[in-house]
């Protein structure tokens, strides 16, 4: 450990109603090199000071008027934290077993028998202070380790999110028309997930993962991807491969974000009625994230210009999606989308 506390500057409190005892102990401790000693002959006054967590060791007389050492032991125990070692050494003249037992039961850590022997004071004080010091260092080290693990986890998450964002950017880069499309899809998917009362973790993950739904378009030639006007059947069949290409780019990751992104890439063109691609899944066999992104993707494609189509109004897009609820789209998710556009919804003739 860096900068270990020197034992000689440990804070030691002496509580004994007989000033002769206090003076004797003080002198002994000073001879032993300790230089941070506070003494109290009035136990009530002592109490206001020795509960300070910076006191390293309490030397405590038991037989005192009004307020006994037992009372003080109880107060110290009540005020101690679980993970700290606050040693109390009891000073005993009458070392009856009953007194010792009671002191131990109340949390005393050691005994010094009056009259004091210098070597005994030296040994016991040093042992208790070193134990306390080790406790402190261990606690400090644990705190530091915990802190470092937390920071490292945060760093890893931030790096993951950054890489995912940049992958999304790579998708957009190919196609001017879909610029910002990926980010919007993440945001709307996340809002829909929240409207559907899905767990907050899923709401968070889908915002990060959904922007990667079309990453497989990286593998589609510009001639098809950027074609102005309608695709031929062959071209459209090639275009449909972007689902599997995307899934294979994203496969095998330990990252929850990429795992969800893979699920979305492979399933976002499936249809509720089973006539989608690539696997002709239907209904709830389609992963929920894919069903959500399917609705969001089409909404966004309709409301923005493509090389092959003009932008639709939000009203027309909503009407088109509503028309396809139960055939192309999961109707529950369409209903949730409508609640996100309450004003527009009222204006559409149902
Ligand atoms: P995209 O442009 O991001 O479109 C995503 C989905 O939005 C489409 O999936 C389709 O379900 C829906 N969508 C887009 N425009 C319209 C529309 O005018 N009417 C309706 N009802 N739905 C629309 P889809 O069809 O599987 O297409 C996947 C991708 O293939 C499209 O992604 C786009 O990149 C490409 N694509 C599809 N048709 C054409 C086309 O005629 N020309 C060109 N150049 N590319 C096309
Ligand atoms: C996150 O919740 O921000 C990251 C989750 C993960 O580890 O994939
Ligand atoms: C959820 O976390 O509730 C959604 C999981 C799924 O079906 O994809
Ligand atoms: C289009 O035909 O304009 C593309 C949308 C679709 O294939 O459904
Ligand atoms: Fe797609």
């Amino acid at each position: 450990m860096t900068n270990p506390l020197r034992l000689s500057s440990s804070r030691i409190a002496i509580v004994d109603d007989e000033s002769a005892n206090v003076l004797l102990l003080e002198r002994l401790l000073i001879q032993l090199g300790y230089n941070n000693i506070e003494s109290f002959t009035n136990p009530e006054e002592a109490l206001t000071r020795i509960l300070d967590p910076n006191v390293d060791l309490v030397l405590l007389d038991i037989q005192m008027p009004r307020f006994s050492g037992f009372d003080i032991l109880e107060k110290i125990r009540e005020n101690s934290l679980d993970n700290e070692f606050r040693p109390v050494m009891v000073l005993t003249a009458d070392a009856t077993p009953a007194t010792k037992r009671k002191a131990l039961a109340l949390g005393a850590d050691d005994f010094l028998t009056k009259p004091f022997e210098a070597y005994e004071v030296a040994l016991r004080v040093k042992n208790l202070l070193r134990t306390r010091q080790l406790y402190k260092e261990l606690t400090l080290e644990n705190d530091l380790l915990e802190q470092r693990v937390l920071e490292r986890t945060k760093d890893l998450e931030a790096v993951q999110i950054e890489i995912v964002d940049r992958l999304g950017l790579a998708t957009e880069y190919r196609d001017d028309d879909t610029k910002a499309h990926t980010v919007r899809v993440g945001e709307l998917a996340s809002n829909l997930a929240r409207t559907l009362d899905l767990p907050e973790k899923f709401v968070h993950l889908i915002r990060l993962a959904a922007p990667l739904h079309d990453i497989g378009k990286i593998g589609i030639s510009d001639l098809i991807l950027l074609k102005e006007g309608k695709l031929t059947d062959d071209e459209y069949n090639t275009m449909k491969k972007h689902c599997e290409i995307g899934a294979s780019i994203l496969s095998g990751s330990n990252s929850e974000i990429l795992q969800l992104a893979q699920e979305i890439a492979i399933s976002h063109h499936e249809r509720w009625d089973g006539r989608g691609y690539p696997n002709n899944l239907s209904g709830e066999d389609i992963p929920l994230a894919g069903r959500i992104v399917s609705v969001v993707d089409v909404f966004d494609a309709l409301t923005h210009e493509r090389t092959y189509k003009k932008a639709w109004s939000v009203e027309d897009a909503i009407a088109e999606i509503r028309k396809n609820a139960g055939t192309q789209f999961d109707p529950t998710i369409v209903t949730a989308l409508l609640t996100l556009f309450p004003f527009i919804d009222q204006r559409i003739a149902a």
Side-chain angles (χ1 to χ4, degrees):
M1 291 301 292
T2 53
N3 195 16
L5 191 72
R6 288 175 53 90
L7 289 188
S8 59
S9 60
S10 302
R11 218 168 125 183
I12 302 175
I14 302 170
V15 187
D16 193 323
D17 61 311
E18 283 174 56
S19 39
N21 279 334
V22 168
L23 281 177
L24 195 66
L25 259 182
E26 266 183 6
R27 202 176 312 144
L28 260 171
L29 289 171
I30 287 166
Q31 271 170 15
L32 291 166
Y34 296 101
N35 55 35
N36 192 357
I37 304 161
E38 298 172 90
S39 301
F40 305 92
T41 49
N42 176 348
E44 275 130 317
E45 187 199 330
L47 249 192
T48 66
R49 300 296 303 278
I50 64 175
L51 294 181
D52 182 333
N54 292 317
V55 170
D56 294 305
L57 171 63
V58 180
L59 306 182
L60 179 65
D61 186 24
I62 290 295
Q63 262 124 37
M64 293 182 288
R66 293 187 312 278
F67 218 81
S68 80
F70 293 133
D71 299 325
I72 292 186
L73 272 172
E74 267 180 349
K75 292 281 180 209
I76 291 176
R77 198 176 54 177
E78 282 166 16
N79 286 278
S80 293
L81 303 170
D82 285 345
N83 61 351
E84 75 175 352
F85 179 63
R86 296 254 274 134
V88 178
M89 181 147 58
V90 167
L91 313 171
T92 54
D94 72 322
T96 69
T99 303
K100 285 191 171 182
R101 247 198 314 274
K102 187 166 178 196
L104 273 179
L106 289 172
D109 298 287
D110 205 347
F111 300 95
L112 256 185
T113 313
K114 302 175 193 178
F116 309 120
E117 297 278 356
Y119 73 89
E120 204 184 357
V121 174
L123 190 73
R124 288 170 192 266
V125 166
K126 191 169 105 183
N127 280 341
L128 288 175
L129 287 176
R130 284 187 65 178
T131 306
R132 173 164 168 86
Q133 191 181 352
L134 288 173
Y135 258 88
K136 273 180 159 178
E137 287 175 4
L138 207 65
T139 309
L140 197 63
E141 202 166 349
N142 279 341
D143 288 352
L144 279 175
L145 269 177
E146 231 167 76
Q147 187 60 30
R148 253 183 248 147
V149 167
L150 268 180
E151 277 166 16
R152 189 123 179 73
T153 307
K154 261 197 222 144
D155 284 352
L156 283 173
E157 273 178 17
V159 166
Q160 251 194 70
I161 290 171
E162 185 187 344
I163 290 173
V164 164
D165 284 349
R166 285 168 188 263
L167 270 177
L169 211 61
T171 314
E172 289 177 8
Y173 216 81
R174 290 287 310 287
D175 185 351
D176 285 344
D177 293 310
T178 56
K179 207 159 185 68
H181 164 66
T182 56
V183 174
R184 287 193 308 262
V185 166
E187 271 162 16
L188 190 50
S190 179
N191 289 341
L192 261 187
R194 184 170 284 125
T195 305
L196 289 162
D197 273 331
L198 293 169
E200 205 44 44
K201 166 139 195 195
F202 183 79
V203 171
H204 173 68
L205 285 177
I206 199 169
R207 186 176 58 76
L208 299 167
L212 301 181
H213 66 283
D214 268 348
I215 193 171
K217 284 185 180 173
I218 285 173
I220 305 297
S221 104
D222 282 353
L223 290 179
I224 297 175
L225 188 65
L226 303 179
K227 180 174 177 178
E228 295 182 26
K230 259 199 122 28
L231 299 179
T232 65
D233 286 353
D234 271 359
E235 287 168 339
Y236 191 44
N237 285 333
T238 301
M239 175 57 91
K240 286 177 174 175
K241 296 212 173 85
H242 77 278
C243 298
E244 281 115 330
I245 296 169
S248 88
I249 289 172
L250 298 166
S251 70
S253 175
N254 284 325
S255 153
E256 286 178 274
I257 304 172
L258 295 191
Q259 286 169 5
L260 185 62
Q262 178 189 11
E263 187 176 80
I264 292 168
I266 198 71
S267 63
H268 73 281
H269 286 293
E270 298 292 353
R271 288 173 53 113
W272 186 251
D273 59 14
R275 289 168 44 235
Y277 64 91
N279 293 315
N280 297 110
L281 298 180
S282 62
E284 291 184 353
D285 286 347
I286 307 165
L288 179 58
R291 280 180 266 145
I292 291 172
V293 172
S294 162
V295 171
V296 171
D297 183 34
V298 173
F299 175 77
D300 202 82
L302 291 178
T303 51
H304 292 84
E305 195 180 277
R306 292 283 193 267
T307 54
Y308 63 91
K309 62 170 277 296
K310 293 244 177 293
W312 295 23
S313 70
V314 172
E315 287 87 342
D316 289 347
I318 294 272
E320 173 79 2
I321 285 171
R322 195 184 216 179
K323 198 179 79 193
N324 289 302
T327 51
Q328 186 171 0
F329 305 118
D330 178 344
T332 307
I333 294 170
V334 173
T335 303
L337 180 77
L338 296 179
T339 70
L340 290 180
F341 297 93
F343 175 66
I344 285 161
D345 188 29
Q346 286 170 27
R347 292 171 47 186
I348 300 172

